[in-house]
Amino acid sequence: MNDPSGRTPRAPSGEEHRLLRESVRAFTAREIAPHVADWERAGELPRALHEKAAAAGLLGIGFPEDVGGAGGDLFHTMVVIEELIEGGGSSGVCAGLFTHTIALPHIVAVGDPSQVDRFVRPTLAGRTIGALAVTEPDAGSDVAALRTRAVRDGDHYVVNGTKTYITSGARADFVTVAVRTGEPGHRGISLLVVEKGTPGFTVGRRLEKLGWWCSDTAELSFADARVPATNLVGAAGTGFRQIVAHFQTERLFMAIEAYATAQRALTLAIAWAKARQAFGARLADKPVVRHKLAEMARRTDVAREYVRAVVGRTLTGEDVAREVAMAKNTAVEACRAVVDEALQIHGGLGCMRECEIERHYRDARILAIGGGTTEIMNEVIADRLGLEP
Ligand SMILES: Cc1cc2nc3c(=O)[nH]c(=O)nc-3n(C[C@H](O)[C@H](O)[C@H](O)COP(=O)(O)OP(=O)(O)OC[C@H]3O[C@@H](n4cnc5c(N)ncnc54)[C@H](O)[C@@H]3O)c2cc1C
């Protein structure tokens, strides 16, 4: 392995991907890496970053050009996440900057021209910020149990309820909200876009959390909030189906963030092992440390290769829900093990706020919970093992 990061180069490695890598690397070095510590302290990303990322052509990647996107597919998004994290960004930066990748896809898929003009185009241009609100204080993994109610009243829906743990919730100009418009259970759920400034819609507490400090997280509440019925995304009662369909991509994004974070932790650990002396020799010369690094490289490579293979299969239209769940769990498990060892190799420095690995260590923990927990991924896998009697 000649690459100083210990990374084995792999596809997607065409010319187009190579140019994209270079452009993300330059953008990250200039606009992200020098500022992450400040954003972590501030508890949010600046709006200007969204505008800059849009101007650099990064925000619209993975979205069709006819809705204001930059085109490209999941492999292009993968390149963006890999380079952003390897260049000194973080999964927290990805969560805050790319929240639109969970807030917009339902709107794009339904394709209502007015909704595309009002929500999709300005967000992909970096002028507005969107969020997705599914989770409630009493309904997380069990999405079908959500209680936020939207009752039709003439040309409006009247919304009442509470959402929690909402990424970019404090900054969002609009929120794609999962609401109950019908019967109990998954068939009664719809998606409704609620805009900032709607009377009765308030952003409650900003939640302080373990990791992803630069990505604001909020509680949202709705008290008789009147929302135009034209903001309904797709037909009433199709919300659950839409949410599940787009979960696949969110889970793959998190899997990519996980192995990319593992790779960054490995890069940092290798650099430190080469620089640090103990007992008259470099850490990198000690068999125990060498084997730790070898194991970290193995875990990272295996996760990356598996996730990439699943992304490739997704792009051919195969039903890979089981493999997507396996990809998330594989990459998250690799990430947790690798960041833990990377911190250990840094010694006391690894516990210091000033040390980048400390941030990845905290951020990594969230990946096993967001986008569907490890246990829920195992449920998805078990459901497809033919276990029924
Ligand atoms: C930083 C952060 C950002 C987030 N951003 C968003 C966002 O933007 N939008 C949004 O809607 N949500 C968001 N979430 C919420 C996230 O999706 C939920 O936290 C997650 O789905 C789990 O739900 P819960 O917290 O209610 O846990 P619960 O569902 O209460 O689960 C608690 C524990 O029980 C386990 N469990 C639950 N059901 C089962 C089962 N059937 N079998 C075995 N074990 C089970 C879970 O795996 C978990 O370990 C975010 C969360 C975090 C931490």
Side-chain angles (χ1 to χ4, degrees), residues 40 90-93 95 207-217 358-366:
E40 289 274 296
S90 66
S91 58
V93 173
L207 301 166
E208 294 187 351
K209 56 193 184 299
L210 170 78
W212 285 12
W213 289 357
C214 63
S215 166
D216 59 294
T217 308
E358 182 264 353
R359 168 160 44 87
H360 293 305
Y361 180 82
R362 289 183 289 99
D363 287 353
R365 191 63 185 84
I366 293 175

Side-chain angles (χ1 to χ4, degrees), residues 132-135 140-141 165-167 209 212 366 369 373 375-376:
L132 173 72
V134 178
T135 307
S141 304
Y165 312 144
I166 306 308
T167 298
K209 56 193 184 299
W212 285 12
I366 293 175
I369 292 171
T373 66
E375 293 76 14
I376 294 302

Side-chain angles (χ1 to χ4, degrees), residues 86-389:
E86 186 62 18
S90 66
S91 58
V93 173
C94 290
L97 184 57
F98 301 140
T99 317
H100 65 286
T101 62
I102 58 173
L104 296 182
H106 324 80
I107 305 174
V108 173
V110 166
D112 176 313
S114 152
Q115 291 180 356
V116 167
D117 285 347
R118 286 185 296 141
F119 307 122
V120 180
R121 289 182 199 283
T123 304
L124 296 180
R127 293 195 301 274
T128 53
I129 293 172
L132 173 72
V134 178
T135 307
E136 299 182 355
D138 295 321
S141 304
D142 188 2
V143 172
L146 67 83
R147 293 209 295 239
T148 295
R149 183 157 277 285
V151 177
R152 186 77 187 241
D153 179 22
D155 292 341
H156 287 77
Y157 279 97
V158 180
V159 184
N160 282 285
T162 309
K163 296 287 177 181
T164 194
Y165 312 144
I166 306 308
T167 298
S168 296
R171 297 180 305 148
D173 301 291
F174 66 91
V175 186
T176 306
V177 187
V179 291
R180 183 162 299 288
T181 49
E183 65 201 77
H186 65 90
R187 286 200 187 83
I189 295 172
S190 304
L191 291 178
L192 189 65
V193 181
V194 182
E195 292 164 85
K196 193 182 211 165
T198 303
F201 167 37
T202 48
V203 176
R205 282 191 305 150
R206 268 180 187 246
L207 301 166
E208 294 187 351
K209 56 193 184 299
L210 170 78
W212 285 12
W213 289 357
C214 63
S215 166
D216 59 294
T217 308
E219 275 179 354
L220 310 179
S221 59
F222 307 91
D224 289 333
R226 289 183 69 80
V227 179
T230 48
N231 283 13
L232 195 68
V233 182
T238 61
F240 188 81
R241 215 180 322 138
Q242 295 185 57
I243 292 165
V244 170
H246 296 291
F247 259 153
Q248 301 302 326
T249 322
E250 180 181 2
R251 286 169 185 168
L252 284 173
F253 284 177
M254 296 194 90
I256 297 165
E257 287 170 27
Y259 77 67
T261 300
Q263 177 59 57
R264 177 63 177 167
L266 176 61
T267 303
L268 295 169
I270 290 174
W272 183 247
K274 287 163 80 171
R276 180 72 171 173
Q277 298 271 330
F279 299 96
R282 304 177 316 157
L283 292 181
D285 296 323
K286 308 197 183 294
V288 170
V289 175
R290 292 168 61 81
H291 285 199
K292 278 186 191 219
L293 292 168
E295 184 63 4
M296 291 157 70
R298 181 191 66 75
R299 284 181 188 272
T300 305
D301 264 32
V302 169
R304 174 170 42 233
E305 293 304 309
Y306 185 69
V307 175
R308 284 183 172 184
V310 175
V311 167
R313 289 175 64 184
T314 308
L315 290 174
T316 66
E318 250 186 274
D319 175 8
V320 284
R322 182 180 90 145
E323 289 76 6
V324 167
M326 287 178 171
K328 181 169 188 277
N329 279 3
T330 301
V332 166
E333 190 182 69
C335 181
R336 283 175 67 179
V338 172
V339 293
D340 189 80
E341 284 292 25
L343 187 149
Q344 191 71 17
I345 288 170
H346 280 77
L349 178 63
C351 303
M352 298 299 135
R353 227 12 63 95
E354 69 200 59
C355 182
E356 185 183 329
I357 199 66
E358 182 264 353
R359 168 160 44 87
H360 293 305
Y361 180 82
R362 289 183 289 99
D363 287 353
R365 191 63 185 84
I366 293 175
L367 297 171
I369 292 171
T373 66
T374 301
E375 293 76 14
I376 294 302
M377 294 306 99
N378 280 334
E379 276 299 302
V380 171
I381 297 165
D383 278 348
R384 289 159 178 78
L385 292 181
L387 296 175
E388 59 280 352

